[in-house]
Every structure is written in structure tokens, then in C-alpha cells.
Amino acid sequence: REQAQLKASVVEEDTEEWQKNSNFAGLERVGGVDLSYIKGDDTNACASLVVLSYPALEVLYEDCRMVAVSAPYVAGFLAFREVPFLVEAVQRLQQEEPKLKPQVLLVDGNGLLHPRGFGVACHLGVLTDLPCIGVAKNLLHVDGLARDELHKKQIRSLQRGGDSFPLTGASGGVLGMVLRSCNNSSKPLYVSVGHRVCLETAVRLVGSCCRYRIPEPIRQVQRR
């Protein structure tokens, strides 16, 4: 019920002036968040937030804290297990360095590309009221989507960085985009709307943040 109530607040459109500019003029700070677990331990994790300058992509702020995860893992409800720690990290940033508040967050996970259309990027976006984008490394098999031969053929058709194709579910809706993020990696990313951003803008922004396969805000947060 809580998930359904929060989902009603998701905004799937651009809400910021910088999003409407072809070069994202006015965008100065991009955040990345992730929760990483110790190998073989599903209760101790590191909740991390970094803020990078844009377009230079230099680290302006970082917050990495060990946390004890108590909520059980239930498929489709991962956000209830992880998002509270990420919200706390955003709140700490707002208290300690309000001038460095990110204008958008890239989340290691999915947004609308989710069994009930409300992944971790949507959940975090609604609770923080920040524009959020889901960036996943693997395809979530929802609404008939599958990593079948057709999907693999479409991936092979992505010849250069910036090439993409839509992920259309069996119900006919576009759930996200498959993006080849850079020339040097043929492995794609799965980009989906989190909150307060449209899919086209999300894909353009993720692409603009990629020096390597993984967009720099997420790459830096995972390095830390």
C-alpha cells in the first residue's frame, strides 16, 4: 500500500529549466548514490553519496558510512531495505553543505523499469523530491522483457556511444532505454525514469556523464 501511495507522486516529466536546454546549461551538480554490501554479508553495507561538478565531473562532496541493514530482502521491494539510508545521506548533505545539494541523482538501480513501475530511483526521488534517474547494468525481466536473441541482436546494433533503443514491454509501454554509453564498451546500460525527468532527458544526461561504461557519479560512488 505504501509503495502504491508513493508511486502516485512520481513525475515522469522534466521539471527543471536546465533539463530543457540541449547542453544542460544551468546544471552544475550531479549526484550518485549506491548501497554496497560486504561479500557474503547481507546486513552490513556501505551507503554512499557523491556530488560531482558538471560538466567537469570532479568530486565536490562524498559521504560513505557503514550501516546495518535490518529489513529483509523481498523481490520488488528492495527500496524499503535500502532507500532510508540514502535519504539520510541526502539529508546530511543538506544540513552540512547545502550549497552542494545535487540538482539530479543517478541511482545504481531501476526506476519505472520495475514489476510495479516503482523501483529504487522512483522511491528515492519521491522521498527527497530530487530529480532521479535509474541506471542499471543488467536487464530486469519485467512485463515480458527478456535477454533473448532479439534483445542481444538489438544490443549488437548499438555501434557507438550514445546509440540507444527503447525497452517496450508486452503491455505496449516504454519502460526505459538501452544505452551504449561509450565507444569503448559494448555492454549497455538500462536507463529508466526515476522522478522529475523524462526518459529522453535521462538518457542524454547519463550519456553526457560517461567517460567509461558506468556514468561518473555512480562510478565514483562505487570506487569509494
Side-chain angles (χ1 to χ4, degrees), residues 18-161:
W18 61 262
Q19 294 168 328
K20 298 161 189 172
N21 185 284
S22 60
N23 297 317
F24 298 125
L27 177 61
E28 299 176 349
R29 297 173 307 283
V30 180
V33 293
D34 188 30
L35 201 77
S36 302
Y37 294 88
I38 295 173
K39 210 166 189 176
D41 183 345
D42 62 357
T43 57
N44 291 299
C46 183
S48 304
L49 161 69
V50 297
V51 181
L52 275 59
S53 62
Y54 188 90
L57 301 176
E58 295 172 347
V59 177
L60 304 173
Y61 173 93
E62 61 178 282
D63 178 358
C64 303
R65 302 210 179 189
M66 292 303 297
V67 297
V69 182
S70 57
Y73 172 72
V74 181
F77 297 96
L78 177 67
F80 287 94
R81 180 173 160 85
E82 298 189 349
V83 163
F85 301 108
L86 303 178
V87 170
E88 286 175 5
V90 172
Q91 290 171 340
R92 278 196 300 273
L93 167 58
Q94 290 174 330
Q95 290 165 1
E96 296 168 9
E97 298 279 359
K99 291 180 181 177
L100 296 181
K101 179 181 175 182
Q103 293 161 278
V104 59
L105 285 173
L106 302 192
V107 183
D108 182 29
N110 292 293
L112 297 180
L113 182 56
H114 179 268
R116 283 171 301 284
F118 193 73
V120 64
C122 297
H123 203 124
L124 183 62
V126 170
L127 292 184
T128 61
D129 199 32
L130 287 171
C132 278
I133 299 169
V135 185
K137 295 183 282 291
N138 298 299
L139 175 65
L140 193 63
H141 293 203
V142 298
D143 195 17
L145 296 176
R147 194 172 162 76
D148 54 17
E149 280 309 312
L150 173 60
H151 185 76
K152 292 175 184 175
K153 183 179 179 182
Q154 288 175 306
I155 288 174
R156 289 193 294 272
S157 76
L158 304 177
Q159 294 296 306
R160 60 184 67 85

Side-chain angles (χ1 to χ4, degrees), residues 144-224:
L145 296 176
R147 194 172 162 76
D148 54 17
E149 280 309 312
L150 173 60
H151 185 76
K152 292 175 184 175
K153 183 179 179 182
Q154 288 175 306
I155 288 174
R156 289 193 294 272
S157 76
L158 304 177
Q159 294 296 306
R160 60 184 67 85
D163 287 356
S164 63
F165 65 86
L167 281 167
T168 305
S171 60
V174 175
L175 304 178
M177 293 285 279
V178 182
L179 170 68
R180 178 164 178 166
S181 54
C182 68
N183 291 329
N184 296 333
S185 177
S186 58
K187 291 183 178 179
L189 298 173
Y190 296 88
V191 180
S192 57
V193 169
H195 185 51
R196 292 178 57 185
V197 63
C198 76
L199 185 56
E200 179 189 355
T201 299
V203 171
R204 280 200 304 121
L205 180 62
V206 170
S208 76
C209 289
C210 289
R211 291 173 175 164
Y212 307 96
R213 179 196 175 202
I214 306 301
E216 208 61 15
I218 293 176
R219 197 176 80 88
Q220 290 295 335
V221 86
Q222 291 176 339
R223 286 182 68 189
R224 280 155 177 75

